Amino acid sequence: MKATESSVVADTAGGQTAAERAVWRLLARVPDPEIPVLSIVDLGIVRYVRRAGDGALHVGITPTYSGCPATAAIRSATRAALDEAGFGAALLEEVLSPPWTSDWITPQGRAKLEAFGIAPPAPAAAPRDTAEPLRCPRCGSLSVARISEFGSTPCKAHYVCSACREPFDHFKCI
Amino acid sequence: MSAPAAAPERRDRATAEALFRYVLRLADTSLVLGQRLGEWIGHAPALEQDLGLANLALDLIGQARLLLTYAGEVEGRGRDEDALAYLRDAPEFLNLTLAEQPNGDFAHTIVRQWLIDAWQLEIYEGLGGSADTRLAAIAAKALKETRYHYRFSSGWLVRLGDGTAESQARAQRALDSLWRFTEELFTPDEIDERMTAAGIAPLAAAAAGRWRRRVDEDLRQATLVRPAAQPFPWHGKRGVHTEHLGHMLAEMQHLPRTYPGVGW
């Protein structure tokens, strides 16, 4: 958990050029195609934006799941956003290592998920018994039951609330 | 999209050829199993299992794409993931024979899945420390997915095995029918041995021991009986397949072969 937090912070804070900051702001407006309340920055899939020694801007993005069908759409939306904003020379790179974890979803992203009706993931690295319990995103009840580990997209599981009886999606911890 | 610039790996020719075939074995096993699971869509016993099997298929095909892309780069003859998936014939596929076996009933699919999930757990865990950094990155990503695949398949194995008389009989029948293909999983040949010697692949014997302990423990919980070891005439990973693969490829490859270069 500590390592992943620091790796996010290392790439987003301090010592950035104006162009790098502009690209971060730009990508913070590119929505995830399957959960459009989240941006790709909220999801933690933008790994770096940096001006390298060769003078070019390098943008690294990582897939969530190996087979996530949104990966190609995210790639082309990111490319289009860069091109339209005048960063046509920026190089878009696919980063596989370290593998994406739901821990990289930003606090802002987690709040957006819950407001949208999707229970955010517990920390993947934390032991199960110390993790914050799953609560219904509609009524806040902790009395919930899993219906299916697999849901409408690879990243979600299906739950139902025993208090308000509403079904809801849970963003899986990985 | 390109991978971040890295120093090109320097390998001698024999190692590069062995690596190409080794990566294809992993890729083809995931691709063929993913295609098989896709055949369940709309036919699974209940909606939740339909979603589950489709999710597993999606992950497996995603893993296959990463691996096939890499295999094509190692080969260096300009073949991309699509050329390798759609334009090779059965003898050029190097998947484990177990992966190509037909779905059968739900118990049959679960037993096949569980045996391969447990195998992938060991292989991907071992490859996480591979001297080949690209393979290590793909494996680390795939391992996270394989963990919940195994949770799904081993959970169902126990429910079916320790379930009704009917579900237990079907699970045992599936195990009896599929067990003969498991010898191939950890029997190394010269390609595996070269990869292990180069620090790229984990040692087969160590992985086999852990796989066997895990499988035995799951079978105990599922109240199923492990069949006796059987002679081992199947060599899918050397391109010698059962008759089932050709039929599957005919369907999988029909469109791109009929309309070469077709796009959306």
Side-chain angles (χ1 to χ4, degrees):
Chain A
M1 193 57 190
K2 280 276 176 280
T4 59
E5 276 171 3
S6 64
S7 68
V8 172
V9 171
D11 272 339
T12 56
Q16 293 183 323
T17 65
E20 287 167 351
R21 284 194 300 273
V23 170
W24 275 112
R25 282 196 301 273
L26 177 72
L27 299 181
R29 293 196 299 273
V30 175
D32 174 72
E34 284 178 349
I35 312 174
V37 292
L38 289 188
S39 79
I40 59 174
V41 173
D42 291 329
L43 259 178
I45 62 180
V46 181
R47 301 311 302 144
Y48 54 77
V49 176
R50 58 176 167 246
R51 177 89 60 191
D54 57 8
L57 263 179
H58 294 251
V59 177
I61 60 178
T62 192
T64 52
Y65 289 73
S66 301
C68 180
T71 305
I74 290 172
R75 189 186 306 155
S76 56
T78 306
R79 184 74 261 171
L82 289 168
D83 291 349
E84 280 166 27
F87 295 105
L91 297 166
L92 195 54
E93 296 168 342
E94 181 168 50
V95 188
L96 274 186
S97 179
W100 181 82
T101 157
S102 48
D103 290 346
W104 290 348
I105 299 176
T106 62
Q108 191 189 12
R110 296 172 58 85
K112 286 182 188 174
L113 273 177
E114 191 158 24
F116 189 61
I118 299 173
R128 296 265 159 202
D129 48 353
T130 62
E132 195 182 321
L134 187 62
R135 65 170 188 255
C136 170
R138 294 178 199 281
C139 74
S141 168
L142 297 177
S143 177
V144 300
R146 193 177 77 191
I147 296 174
S148 169
E149 184 169 357
F150 300 92
S152 54
T153 69
C155 56
K156 284 179 276 179
H158 209 56
Y159 277 71
V160 66
C161 174
S162 313
C164 72
R165 314 299 289 170
E166 286 289 334
F168 65 92
D169 277 333
H170 168 45
F171 202 104
K172 288 195 283 203
C173 324
I174 185 173
Chain B
M1 187 154 60
S2 59
E9 306 251 4
R10 300 189 70 83
R11 309 180 191 95
D12 63 75
R13 191 186 174 83
T15 304
E17 276 173 18
L19 178 62
F20 171 63
R21 296 178 73 79
Y22 182 77
V23 177
L24 271 190
R25 289 174 176 180
L26 300 173
D28 289 344
T29 296
S30 286
L31 178 63
V32 166
L33 186 61
Q35 177 74 13
R36 278 285 184 231
L37 291 180
E39 294 170 7
W40 271 107
I41 294 172
H43 302 280
L47 181 59
E48 287 76 12
Q49 280 66 62
D50 211 284
L51 286 169
L53 293 171
N55 264 258
L56 266 53
L58 196 58
D59 287 337
L60 287 165
I61 290 169
Q63 293 164 14
R65 292 183 61 183
L66 295 171
L67 290 163
L68 286 174
T69 299
Y70 183 43
E73 290 171 24
V74 170
E75 187 194 32
R77 285 173 46 202
R79 289 203 279 184
D80 64 7
E81 50 175 319
D82 287 340
L84 288 169
Y86 294 126
L87 302 176
R88 281 182 299 150
D89 288 324
E92 297 165 86
F93 269 76
L94 304 182
N95 56 281
L96 294 172
T97 317
L98 178 58
E100 73 203 31
Q101 298 311 304
N103 285 338
D105 61 13
F106 185 67
H108 209 85
T109 291
I110 288 297
V111 170
R112 183 188 63 196
Q113 190 64 34
W114 163 72
L115 290 167
I116 297 182
D117 286 343
W119 173 80
Q120 284 186 329
L121 277 183
E122 297 305 331
I123 297 300
Y124 287 145
E125 179 95 49
L127 285 173
S130 174
D132 184 303
T133 52
R134 178 82 165 271
L135 209 44
I138 295 172
K141 187 154 193 66
L143 178 62
K144 287 183 162 206
E145 296 159 358
T146 305
R147 286 198 180 115
Y148 62 73
H149 298 177
Y150 171 75
R151 197 159 65 227
F152 175 84
S153 60
S154 62
W156 271 105
L157 183 89
V158 172
R159 264 188 273 181
L160 294 173
D162 193 18
T164 65
E166 175 73 15
S167 72
Q168 187 186 41
R170 285 181 181 236
Q172 186 65 51
R173 202 179 311 145
L175 187 65
D176 292 345
S177 148
L178 293 170
W179 188 256
R180 57 203 166 127
F181 299 108
T182 60
E183 277 299 304
E184 187 188 21
L185 268 51
F186 294 104
T187 304
D189 66 359
E190 70 281 2
I191 290 175
D192 299 304
E193 280 159 4
R194 184 180 278 274
M195 291 294 97
T196 301
I200 293 172
L203 189 65
R210 285 190 300 272
W211 179 85
R212 206 165 281 275
R213 281 192 293 281
R214 183 190 294 277
V215 160
D216 281 346
E217 171 57 24
D218 289 348
L219 288 177
R220 192 189 61 73
Q221 279 192 47
T223 68
L224 295 170
V225 181
R226 171 153 61 84
Q230 290 174 30
F232 164 44
W234 290 282
H235 298 282
K237 70 181 191 178
R238 302 182 72 82
V240 183
H241 294 279
T242 52
E243 71 273 24
H244 308 296
L245 182 66
H247 294 281
M248 197 203 86
L249 293 183
E251 183 175 332
M252 187 179 95
Q253 299 181 334
H254 170 76
L255 196 82
R257 283 192 187 267
T258 310
Y259 303 97
V262 68
W264 288 104

